[in-house]
Amino acid sequence: MRWRKLGHIFVASGHSEWSHSHAMLPIAKSLGDYRYRVYFTPRDRKKRSNVSWLDIDVRDPTRILRLATDPLLSPGPLGGFDDSGAIGCWIVEHHGIERLYYQGWTLGVTVGFYAAIGAAERPAGRLDLPFERISSGPILDRCMREPVFVADPAVMVEGQTFRMWYQSGRSWTLQDGRALPSYDIRYAESADGIHWTIEGTNALTFEHPGEVAIARFCPLREADGSYKAWYSYRGNDWGYQIGYATSPDGLAWTRRDALAGIHNDAESWEGPMICYPFVFDSDIGRLMLYNGGRYGDAGFGLAILEQD
């Protein structure tokens, strides 16, 4: 694979009180006629996460057609699982409902944060409406099989089954007096997309020396029924890179990171790392939205898969 970068699209740089910095975890949804709505998560002046959007034409992606003036989802109430922010992770349209799966988080005391997975909905096609939480509590949280945290879901609907690949917290360790998290990818299923069976099924775990984290797992089912996935991985001493894996069934994955075909350009807007890929098929070919900077503080760009 070879990805050709098409440019830097957006970073929230003092845009508003609620969209003040960052532009994390972009998600693309087609509007037709080469236009796409990109959902993403900026931070407000208090560093809390909100869900926003903008529209682009993929033929000229660095020109923004429209930009949100209000958040689609804001931090939850004081004391809630998402009172420090709501990070948009994945959108599924099913039976006339558009459902946003999001990562809610709160500040920790002994560790930096606690994370859980929430869901919010709106009628399909009603792009003028914000998302409304389906409950004040998460749909997935720490439990006997997931004692550390759960976060960052990707969800597909296949037949009567909802399939989720999510970030599983493995441990926190102290390094130079700081608590640092470790996490990889696990898998769960559901009949309705709300109530999930958690069995601790491993999907993708560490392979490289010093690797401690895998995030933003983005699976794609091909026409022949096989699966590909892109994701970001890092160590405590080196920043996120984009990896690539294949699978015959979405359960047993083979990492092929050397074939990912995209690397950060430290001299560009991307800076020290690229991360959080979202891969989708468009009117002009297979595209990848991705973040640059430190955990998305440089915003996001777009790349296209070049054909041999």
Side-chain angles (χ1 to χ4, degrees):
M1 281 186 295
R2 293 193 309 273
W3 296 90
R4 177 168 54 87
K5 296 173 182 177
L6 300 178
H8 187 200
I9 294 176
F10 181 80
V11 61
S13 181
H15 171 61
S16 67
E17 288 289 333
W18 62 273
S19 181
H20 180 66
S21 70
H22 292 66
M24 298 172 59
L25 273 70
I27 307 163
K29 298 288 286 185
S30 176
L31 300 176
D33 194 27
Y34 299 97
R35 294 178 302 115
Y36 284 78
R37 177 149 296 183
V38 180
Y39 300 90
F40 61 94
T41 300
R43 295 183 184 179
D44 66 17
R45 291 184 183 275
K46 297 180 180 179
K47 300 183 178 181
R48 301 176 304 175
S49 307
N50 300 263
V51 179
S52 185
W53 60 268
L54 57 79
D55 292 343
I56 60 172
D57 185 318
V58 292
R59 297 170 297 183
D60 184 14
T62 59
R63 182 172 66 91
I64 296 172
L65 305 178
R66 294 181 62 198
L67 179 64
T69 57
D70 297 292
L72 290 173
L73 191 67
S74 297
L78 182 65
F81 79 100
D82 52 1
D83 73 353
S84 295
I87 300 174
C89 299
W90 207 266
I91 294 177
V92 170
E93 190 171 317
H94 187 64
H95 290 169
I97 295 294
E98 191 176 22
R99 180 180 297 152
L100 171 70
Y101 291 93
Y102 73 95
Q103 175 180 321
W105 65 280
T106 60
L107 288 171
V109 176
T110 56
V111 296
F113 64 86
Y114 303 104
I117 296 172
E121 297 179 342
R122 66 184 180 186
R126 290 299 305 273
L127 300 181
D128 57 317
L129 296 179
F131 287 97
E132 300 290 341
R133 289 169 172 81
I134 67 167
S135 70
S136 58
I139 62 171
L140 278 177
D141 202 348
R142 291 185 294 179
C143 60
M144 292 179 67
R145 292 192 179 273
E146 293 289 357
V148 180
F149 62 79
V150 294
D152 197 8
V155 178
M156 287 185 182
V157 184
E158 296 186 0
Q160 301 301 311
T161 301
F162 286 76
R163 310 184 74 187
M164 178 190 286
W165 296 262
Y166 65 94
Q167 192 182 98
S168 169
R170 307 314 298 266
S171 65
W172 289 86
T173 57
L174 287 174
Q175 181 173 309
D176 299 326
R178 291 194 305 147
L180 302 177
S182 178
Y183 40 88
D184 60 6
I185 306 300
R186 287 185 172 177
Y187 173 81
E189 291 187 353
S190 169
D192 61 5
I194 301 298
H195 304 90
W196 294 86
T197 300
I198 296 291
E199 297 181 345
T201 304
N202 290 321
L204 197 80
T205 194
F206 310 131
E207 185 174 278
H208 303 289
E211 189 176 8
V212 299
I214 304 174
R216 217 319 163 63
F217 189 80
C218 178
L220 195 66
R221 188 179 186 188
E222 299 286 23
D224 64 2
S226 65
Y227 294 78
K228 295 176 180 176
W230 293 261
Y231 46 88
S232 45
Y233 65 98
R234 66 170 178 82
N236 284 334
D237 299 320
W238 41 276
Y240 272 127
Q241 304 174 51
I242 290 177
Y244 167 68
T246 59
S247 171
D249 56 9
L251 292 172
W253 292 89
T254 300
R255 292 185 66 168
R256 305 180 187 275
D257 296 339
L259 303 179
I262 187 168
H263 306 280
N264 74 296
D265 178 1
E267 302 303 317
S268 73
W269 67 271
E270 297 165 0
M273 64 176 76
I274 55 174
C275 54
Y276 309 149
F278 184 87
V279 176
F280 62 104
D281 290 323
S282 79
D283 308 286
I284 63 170
R286 181 158 290 181
L287 298 174
M288 176 192 291
L289 289 160
Y290 66 94
N291 279 120
R294 290 184 54 79
Y295 310 103
D297 66 0
F300 61 88
L302 187 69
I304 187 168
L305 184 63
E306 293 192 321
Q307 303 297 322
D308 291 331

